[in-house]
Amino acid sequence: MGRLDGKVAIVTGAGQGMGAAHARRMASEGAKVILTDIDAVGASQIAKEIGQNALFIQHDVASMSDWTRVVAEAEKAFGPVTVLVNNAGILGPIKNIIDLSVEEYMKVVAVNQHSQFYGMKAVVPGMKAAGGGSIINISSIAGLVASVGAPSIAYVGSKFASRGMTKQIAVEFGPDKIRVNSIHPGYIKTPMMEAATDQDGGGVASGLALRRMAEPDEVSKVVVFLASDDASYVTGVEHPVDGGFTAV
């Protein structure tokens, strides 16, 4: 018996990194998982590996109409969506506000912030009808603190927005038994992080309390907890998974 038996979950950005790890871990705990990504290659392969309890749907998370389609297809395949993991995100350019173009800013905000709004808007009616659900918004340590060398105001602003939207929707839909939480990963071994920093355990890792970067599945374990009934009284809270980054 799995901790997520009977749950139907959408995981965005599921083609690699944390999204792929979340999908695999949730499926292993008994959930039926819809993996979405704008790139069909990675997520479709992972869905095949998981088997009959997984479905891949190509998805532009920055499109509200695409969200409506994805939720409809998910419900047709597996029934009401009771878990949403808003994982998709981009780093964007590492630039200061002077050098960052309006177009670059809007692209980051569209993927990191607007997509989470669209996703919540798309799944909440079905969750209400089903008697409840769990929404997990993947933010970042950049949604908790600012830091020198952060990617840009677009990235930091979008991740702070994720945290604020999480709290507001948790308050609005708590009476409907919909729990909403945010997770704030730190330095995780993903392709996106690899592009931004070193992966050898030195550098940024030397400044962490645990002195190492995390594996994606270490975040997935927190995702499973928040999606499960074990977290039945947990809502509106930010959950750092950062090896102690925000402790200092």
Side-chain angles (χ1 to χ4, degrees):
M1 181 174 181
R3 298 166 72 189
L4 302 182
D5 284 353
K7 310 286 188 186
V8 176
I10 293 175
V11 181
T12 66
Q16 63 178 358
M18 286 191 291
H22 303 337
R24 288 190 174 105
R25 172 65 68 167
M26 295 178 83
S28 75
E29 291 284 355
K32 291 181 171 62
V33 183
I34 297 90
L35 298 85
T36 85
D37 205 298
I38 198 165
D39 181 359
V41 177
S44 61
Q45 181 58 41
I46 294 165
K48 289 178 183 176
E49 292 171 8
I50 292 172
Q52 63 181 3
N53 287 332
L55 171 69
F56 166 70
I57 304 175
Q58 194 164 21
H59 181 197
D60 177 1
V61 295
S63 164
M64 185 67 223
S65 62
D66 244 24
W67 270 105
T68 301
R69 175 182 59 83
V70 166
V71 172
E73 290 185 25
E75 290 177 341
K76 182 179 180 180
F78 294 134
V81 175
T82 51
V83 178
L84 169 63
V85 184
N86 268 323
N87 170 80
I90 58 174
L91 193 63
I94 300 176
K95 294 181 179 180
N96 64 38
I97 193 171
I98 297 172
D99 298 326
L100 187 71
S101 71
V102 172
E103 291 76 18
E104 289 170 330
Y105 173 87
M106 290 305 297
K107 181 177 180 180
V108 174
V109 171
V111 176
N112 293 359
Q113 177 184 344
H114 295 172
S115 71
Q116 295 195 356
F117 164 72
Y118 297 149
M120 291 190 287
K121 185 175 179 63
V123 302
V124 161
M127 286 186 178
K128 286 181 66 175
S134 174
I135 296 172
I136 302 159
N137 291 322
I138 306 299
S139 179
S140 166
I141 50 175
L144 296 172
V145 295
S147 61
V148 175
S152 72
I153 186 174
Y155 184 80
V156 174
S158 66
K159 294 303 185 178
F160 264 85
S162 172
R163 177 185 175 195
M165 292 192 299
T166 293
K167 291 181 179 294
Q168 183 60 35
I169 301 306
V171 171
E172 288 183 9
F173 293 98
D176 297 295
K177 299 181 181 179
I178 298 173
R179 297 181 295 102
V180 193
N181 291 279
S182 59
I183 294 178
H184 298 258
Y187 291 95
I188 315 298
K189 294 179 181 178
T190 66
M192 187 171 77
M193 188 60 68
E194 185 176 23
T197 187
D198 66 85
Q199 289 272 34
D200 63 3
V204 295
S206 65
L208 303 177
L210 295 183
R211 299 296 193 274
R212 66 177 179 84
M213 297 176 72
E215 298 295 336
D217 193 57
E218 293 182 275
V219 183
S220 302
K221 292 173 183 177
V222 181
V223 170
V224 167
F225 167 69
L226 292 174
S228 76
D229 295 340
D230 290 343
S232 58
Y233 204 58
V234 181
T235 195
V237 183
E238 51 275 285
H239 301 265
V241 185
D242 65 359
F245 179 91
T246 53
V248 296

